[in-house]
Amino acid sequence: MIIRKEEPEDFRAIYSVIKDAFDNAEHADGNEQDLVNALRQGEAFIPELSLVAEQDDKIVGHIMFTKAEVKNTTVLALAPLSVLPEYQGMGIGTALIKEGHKIAGKLGFGYSVVLGSNAYYTRTGYEPADMFGIKPPFDVAKENFMAYRLRDDAPAIQGVLKYAREFGI
């Protein structure tokens, strides 16, 4: 498997991967693939943190981290993470997260925040975001709003997460 930065020629395949990955997801609104397209056009987009997983010359997974804010500190929002259904359970999502974390830390970001399954994301080191002083901007179960410290020297932060405007939150 190869993990690399997405390229414009990948956009159509990425759109399909995201759509297929979320078609039968328990918590999905059906527009995750359109959100990715919108985020690419926005100010929160970080090209180095929109990654694909390739296997057998086929894009089988995608992850995107975009800028978010906690008071005056820029953090990252992980959303969405997508793996084709027939490739799920093979470690592709975990590999995408770990590579994204590595790149994000080198770029100087201190935290990544995700809203998702605590059974899944805790396996990659995510913990309840309130442990880091990060609060959600909406009502959500504490165990599903998580954060990951990307760098040991990340300063303590405290406040409500503000997502990029493309999220519509």
Side-chain angles (χ1 to χ4, degrees), residues 23-58:
D23 261 352
N24 296 312
E26 184 179 343
H27 299 288
D29 60 17
N31 74 348
E32 289 80 5
Q33 64 280 354
D34 297 319
L35 172 63
V36 166
N37 285 344
L39 286 166
R40 278 193 196 108
Q41 305 306 314
E43 294 177 13
F45 181 62
I46 307 163
E48 298 87 351
L49 290 173
S50 192
L51 307 172
V52 295
E54 266 186 341
Q55 195 161 316
D56 304 319
D57 295 322
K58 175 182 179 180

Side-chain angles (χ1 to χ4, degrees), residues 86-103:
E86 61 269 27
Y87 289 87
Q88 291 176 7
M90 299 179 180
I92 294 167
T94 299
L96 282 164
I97 291 169
K98 289 184 177 184
E99 182 65 16
H101 285 172
K102 188 169 87 175
I103 294 167

Side-chain angles (χ1 to χ4, degrees), residues 69-74 157-162:
E69 299 288 325
V70 175
K71 289 207 174 166
N72 294 323
T73 303
T74 301
I157 57 177
Q158 186 107 22
V160 176
L161 182 77
K162 182 178 177 193

Side-chain angles (χ1 to χ4, degrees), residues 77-134:
L78 185 173
L81 168 63
S82 312
V83 176
L84 286 174
E86 61 269 27
Y87 289 87
Q88 291 176 7
M90 299 179 180
I92 294 167
T94 299
L96 282 164
I97 291 169
K98 289 184 177 184
E99 182 65 16
H101 285 172
K102 188 169 87 175
I103 294 167
K106 287 179 182 174
L107 291 174
F109 293 100
Y111 297 91
S112 173
V113 178
V114 68
L115 174 63
S117 165
N118 65 321
Y120 180 79
Y121 287 101
T122 55
R123 295 188 322 214
T124 58
Y126 281 85
E127 300 176 273
D130 65 353
M131 291 177 56
F132 299 103
I134 304 169

